[in-house]
Amino acid sequence: MTERTEWRRLSGRMLVIHPIQELLRAWPVLIGLVFAGTAGGQSSWWSLGGAIAVIAAGMLRWFTTTYRVSAEQVQVRRGLLRRRLLTVPRDRIRTVDVTANLLHRSLGLAKVEVGTGRTDRKDDAVKLDALHVDEATRLRAELLHRTPARRETAREETAAPSEVLLAAVPAAWVRYGPFTLTGLVTVGVIAGVAGRAVNEAHLDPGRLGPVSTLLERWEHAGLPAEIAALVAVLVVAVAIASTLGYVLAFYGFRLTRNTLGTLHVTRGLITTRSITIEERRLHGVEISEPLLLRAVRGARCLAITTGLRVGRGAERGGSLLLPPAPRAEAVRVGALVLGPTTPLTAPLTGHGRRAARRRYTRAVGLAALVVAALLVLSWTAGSPAWIWRLSLVLLPVAAFLAWDRARSLGHALIEATLVSRRGTLVRRRSALACEGVIGWNLRRSFFQRRAGLATLVATTAAGRQRIDVQDVPLGEALRLADEALPGLLTPFLDSADS
């Protein structure tokens, strides 16, 4: 492929999109200018001047942004008063993320974001917003498919690259949407914005006929009925919002493998997203099972790979290989990506009674403290007695979560793969190839030392940058680390045995 070393501009169609984006971002400021102008009797001039300034800033982004791709680097030059030159060596590129929202798609454009082997800060990320769709597709192939993957025959070397479908999301899987609880934040934001809007407009919803009738019935209902009604409304609203979010995020989801050695994920209804990951940088997979999703035998499959943003949700950060789906399907996809199936299905070694006892002590002990605090408040401050009585339900809930968390603990070393399972609200089974481990951390709190336990942390440059083996007996932790990377912890093994 011919290298393009000249400086290039983004698509000229961004002269339409950039001003619109800036107007949407600056709407609070523009509204403030309108009110400021109203006080001086010149609201139209204030708002017009602000809008012109925002539009000019948006157009300036296009004129001051250029990029070029050479054989060794990708460079992006941007800014006017503060000129910046971002440079990424091409051998550091791990992923290329191509997204297109509704506005981009209407003009045939896409945004390209280059992922490296480190956490991408917003100011330092290499983003090209935006290129023509064909140009974005060519750039993605150029940056990631630099050299052919290993092939066994000369015939394969001359064959054109092809895509093999690994997974696709059928419409029936939308039933897992309500169990993700992703709509909880959405419902909270909508409720907050609606409440503020009603307050600012000085409206009284109680004057409306249907609302007034509901409020009357609400006042005459007992406390248990009020709580049950609130919970029911919240559950329905969150379920609807979560289902809608599932459709918007994962519509048309496809996971494919390119013969040149990359995985390609495409998804999205209004905003389409395309993520490409180099397989040689993929060190493992994780089967994630949130508590509600696990109740309906669902799970997600995530990639443990370099170049994906750390600290953002898997669904936003790009590590998602399969959205909420049947657990068997998540394991199947994980095995296709990882290679062997055994690390994802084999029984694990438990961590014993001392680790389980720590789970019960921490969970039930915290719940007991909450109940005791509410009881004291009831005696001293005169708070209603039903509050501390209702809090008693925390004790069996905490005991159940402690039991489940203790049951989830486990580890193994299978086929040169470190496997760790932990968690209850979100149970995670991580399978990390030993070749992806770059070091060990051994952590022991005061209470862990008393119980003879430790947390073994396998550090890696991928995903969350670590895999925890929690509350494992100290001797077992050292032997596990030494078996995974022989010789590294031999001195500690000798001291532990003595």
Side-chain angles (χ1 to χ4, degrees), residues 175-176 289-299 324-330:
R175 66 182 185 272
Y176 292 100
E289 302 172 84
L291 186 61
L292 288 182
L293 192 58
R294 184 163 22 121
V296 292
R297 299 185 179 181
R327 188 182 187 282
E329 186 67 12

Side-chain angles (χ1 to χ4, degrees), residues 16-36:
V16 176
I17 294 182
H18 277 322
I20 295 176
Q21 290 177 332
E22 295 299 329
L23 284 172
L24 293 175
R25 292 171 183 166
W27 69 266
V29 177
L30 295 177
I31 292 176
L33 290 176
V34 170
F35 283 108

Side-chain angles (χ1 to χ4, degrees), residues 74-391:
V74 177
Q75 295 180 317
V76 178
R77 192 168 55 188
R78 65 191 184 198
L80 180 63
L81 299 179
R82 184 187 178 191
R83 197 66 170 165
R84 302 193 66 190
L85 177 64
L86 303 178
T87 302
V88 173
R90 290 185 59 176
D91 59 0
R92 291 284 296 171
I93 295 174
R94 304 294 181 256
T95 63
V96 177
D97 193 343
V98 180
T99 58
N101 58 33
L102 193 59
L103 191 58
H104 284 84
R105 291 166 62 188
S106 65
L107 296 176
L109 302 176
K111 180 171 71 174
V112 178
E113 185 169 354
V114 177
T116 61
R118 62 180 181 179
T119 302
D120 294 326
R121 295 186 302 176
K122 182 177 179 181
D123 294 337
D124 295 335
V126 176
K127 299 179 182 179
L128 300 175
D129 185 13
L131 305 176
H132 190 274
V133 171
D134 294 338
E135 175 65 14
T137 302
R138 284 194 297 269
L139 183 61
R140 181 185 64 198
E142 179 180 355
L143 295 179
L144 284 180
H145 299 160
R146 297 184 296 274
T147 57
R150 295 180 179 176
R151 299 183 174 98
E152 297 179 358
T153 64
R155 181 178 178 181
E156 286 180 312
E157 291 181 2
T158 59
S162 61
E163 297 278 339
V164 178
L165 180 65
L166 300 184
V169 172
W173 288 1
V174 73
R175 66 182 185 272
Y176 292 100
F179 300 96
T180 61
L181 293 185
T182 55
L184 187 60
V185 176
T186 303
V187 170
V189 171
I190 293 175
V193 172
R196 185 173 181 83
V198 169
N199 184 56
E200 293 293 336
H202 302 289
L203 297 177
D204 185 7
R207 295 180 179 178
L208 300 176
V211 177
S212 177
T213 303
L214 286 175
L215 289 177
E216 260 183 53
R217 294 180 179 178
W218 180 266
E219 289 177 357
H220 292 88
L223 182 61
E226 292 178 355
I227 295 176
L230 281 175
V231 171
V233 170
L234 181 61
V235 167
V236 171
V238 170
I240 293 174
S242 299
T243 302
L244 181 60
Y246 189 97
V247 173
L248 293 176
F250 306 123
Y251 177 83
F253 185 99
R254 286 170 58 87
L255 172 65
T256 60
R257 170 179 279 136
N258 193 289
T259 52
L260 291 179
T262 57
L263 295 175
H264 188 205
V265 175
T266 56
R267 60 182 174 90
L269 180 59
I270 296 177
T271 298
T272 60
R273 187 170 188 184
S274 175
I275 306 110
T276 304
I277 305 171
E278 278 191 307
E279 286 197 89
R280 66 191 182 97
R281 302 294 180 181
L282 195 149
H283 301 304
V285 297
E286 179 179 286
I287 304 299
S288 174
E289 302 172 84
L291 186 61
L292 288 182
L293 192 58
R294 184 163 22 121
V296 292
R297 299 185 179 181
R300 301 175 301 178
C301 183
L302 312 176
I304 302 176
T305 182
T306 57
L308 298 179
R309 290 179 293 278
V310 179
R312 303 181 67 180
E315 295 170 7
R316 294 199 304 160
S319 63
L320 193 71
L321 295 177
L322 191 71
R327 188 182 187 282
E329 186 67 12
V331 172
R332 183 190 71 83
V333 171
L336 288 175
V337 173
L338 182 65
T341 307
T342 308
L344 300 178
T345 57
L348 303 180
T349 302
H351 292 183
R353 293 182 178 179
R354 289 175 292 178
R357 186 165 56 245
R358 273 178 52 81
R359 269 42 193 174
Y360 282 99
T361 302
R362 295 164 69 180
V364 179
L366 179 60
L369 284 176
V370 171
V371 173
L374 293 175
L375 180 60
V376 170
L377 284 176
S378 177
W379 288 345
T380 59
S383 61
W386 65 265
I387 296 179
W388 75 265
R389 290 172 183 169
L390 183 63
S391 69

